[in-house]
Amino acid sequence: MSSVQEVHTGRAATDPAGPTGRLATWLAGLRLEDVPERVRQRAIHLLLDGIGCALVGARLPWSRRAVESLCRLEGSGPAQLIGWNRGAPPPLAALLNSTFIQGFELDDFHPFAPLHSASLVLPALLACAQADGKRGGPVTGADFLKGAIAGFEVGPRVGLGLHGIEMLSRGWHSGAVFGTHAAAAAAGTLLRLDAAGFEDALGMAGTQSGGLMAAQFEAMCKRMHHGFAARAGLGAAWLAADDYTGIKRVFERDYGGFLAAFGEGHDPDASQVAADLGERWETERIVVKFHAAMGGLHSTIDAIRGTRAKRPFRPEDVESIDVWVGKAVYHHGAFPVERPLTSIGAQMSLAYAVAVAVVDGSAMIPQYTAERIESDDLWTLIPRVRMHEDENFQGGPQKKLGCRLRIALADGSVREVEQGLRFSDAISNDDIVAKFRTLCEPVVPPDRCERIVEAVLGLERAGDLSGLFELLAQETAPALGAQDD
């Protein structure tokens, strides 16, 4: 045992009874055997989903530009970039691997406290596990899985303290705000922090939080926001392992505390940060995406697909489409669109989601290529989409992220439907594996795909993760074809 580990054995948080102290104490005492089997399996499959998203996102044009620019600035290092066959300094690897996972809006989201968990947790874990001079010795698969669960549990709870989806309505990119804590919890688990160390890490993570939702309209950096948080959380945990102190009681401080500052005037609730730890598992509430669009649009896409399946109609017969959504989705996605529209703008746009779901019956990678976004058939329909904010879409996320549609056709008939969000319990682990294989088909050889599946599904039993790291590091093919070059 190193001297650093000895220093970090058994130190208590500043106030073990407060929200920060309770969370830090729980993290320090977390044992994998105390996590229900179903939760461990879900966490494994969420990691697999994040890896699939990264393999698709690694060679996208904006990912390529980020790699070339930042590696020129920061150089090489021991932590592998997924799909690139090159290493980078661990903080940079965390940033870029997260950017890949977020690269095409295919990654998970938490409907109660919006953040993209895999893009925070997985990059921080990979970077920490591959860092030179890492504290605590070699990382086993069980260590890696425990770190993932720690991150999956912490991020949403901090978000709930800020009333979750309300952050989007206020213009914050919510996951970048409370994602720093998820990454710090994950990396801190690999670094074997005690309660005092976790308190320091959470405090340093919180003071680096941020993210402006205006990035959704045309900025490449929207893809990188969760990467900023992953890098910040990794650095916070690393500093805490070396006795660098952070803000104490960061969640409950009245002046300059995390919740006080980000929740100013909105009645933040610090009790949510440590509520029901070990009883309610946020890991199980994370939703896996099957559309390449922001989570608030999924109900609308599902509603249109379901309507077309039950009572088919032709796109050219549509006179108008009215769509009603709740406050958060309206503010997030109901902005006016016009040509030229970027892929990030299209993936955030309610009007575009309606049009492409009507015309193509799908909203996956082919629907968000530059060529498809510029197609005349979609721009003929987009002006016929009228978007409305409906104050009746209140209550839980299934309602808040739901929609109501009225499709008027040229023959005078009308299609009307109301649709709630499809929650995580509607998506099985087998569904996630099937999605992974679908995403991987164009970018990695079949044998490599199956070896990754085998390695990740066997993660809890793995004593050495070098084989998995090597599989992830190998180069991928461009997901969008020639336009990736």
Side-chain angles (χ1 to χ4, degrees), residues 163-431:
H163 306 298
I165 202 169
E166 184 181 295
M167 292 295 285
L168 290 174
S169 301
R170 294 171 52 205
W172 288 106
H173 194 177
S174 53
V177 172
F178 40 83
T180 54
H181 303 99
T189 300
L190 294 193
L191 296 171
R192 295 170 171 79
L193 299 183
D194 62 9
F198 273 113
E199 181 178 24
D200 286 328
L202 294 169
M204 284 185 278
T207 201
Q208 299 178 81
S209 293
L212 303 176
M213 205 57 250
Q216 73 175 33
F217 299 116
E218 68 280 299
M220 289 181 181
C221 71
K222 191 270 179 188
R223 317 269 188 192
M224 196 174 275
H225 277 186
H226 281 63
F228 295 148
R231 179 174 63 179
L234 170 66
W238 192 273
L239 284 166
D242 278 335
D243 294 326
Y244 200 88
T245 58
I247 299 170
K248 308 296 185 183
R249 297 182 287 115
V250 67
F251 297 118
E252 58 263 41
R253 289 274 180 135
D254 291 331
Y255 175 70
F258 179 83
L259 296 180
F262 281 104
E264 184 178 12
H266 294 266
D267 193 27
D269 182 4
S271 70
Q272 293 296 317
V273 171
D276 303 321
L277 287 166
E279 299 175 12
R280 182 187 74 238
W281 295 95
E282 296 297 335
T283 302
E284 294 186 291
R285 302 209 290 180
I286 297 171
V287 173
V288 171
K289 287 185 179 180
F290 283 87
H291 308 304
M294 72 100 161
L297 307 181
H298 282 223
S299 296
T300 300
I301 296 167
D302 286 339
I304 292 171
R305 284 162 51 89
T307 300
R308 290 180 78 228
K310 292 178 182 177
R311 298 178 62 193
F313 58 89
R314 300 186 307 169
E316 56 266 33
D317 291 335
V318 173
E319 291 283 335
S320 64
I321 300 179
D322 288 273
V323 55
W324 289 265
V325 293
K327 179 180 180 181
V329 178
Y330 185 83
H331 283 262
H332 198 8
F335 52 91
V337 293
E338 58 184 31
R339 286 170 157 172
L341 182 63
T342 64
S343 65
I344 186 66
Q347 289 173 313
M348 299 295 110
S349 168
L350 180 58
Y352 186 88
V354 169
V356 80
V358 168
V359 177
D360 288 2
S362 182
M364 278 297 284
I365 294 174
Q367 282 68 49
Y368 293 97
T369 63
E371 292 80 6
R372 189 67 188 114
I373 293 170
E374 187 57 24
S375 300
D376 288 338
D377 56 351
L378 296 177
W379 288 98
T380 298
L381 186 56
I382 284 173
R384 302 177 190 176
V385 179
R386 299 181 298 215
M387 299 169 286
H388 313 276
E389 181 179 351
D390 188 342
E391 63 182 14
N392 292 318
F393 282 96
Q394 300 296 328
Q398 188 171 24
K399 186 74 171 178
K400 283 184 179 179
L401 299 179
C403 72
R404 180 162 57 89
L405 282 170
R406 186 181 188 275
I407 305 172
L409 303 176
D411 63 3
S413 64
V414 172
R415 309 282 194 271
E416 293 189 88
V417 62
E418 186 166 326
Q419 175 83 37
L421 176 68
R422 181 172 53 163
F423 273 158
S424 56
D425 57 6
I427 300 166
S428 71
N429 289 340
D430 288 343
D431 292 333

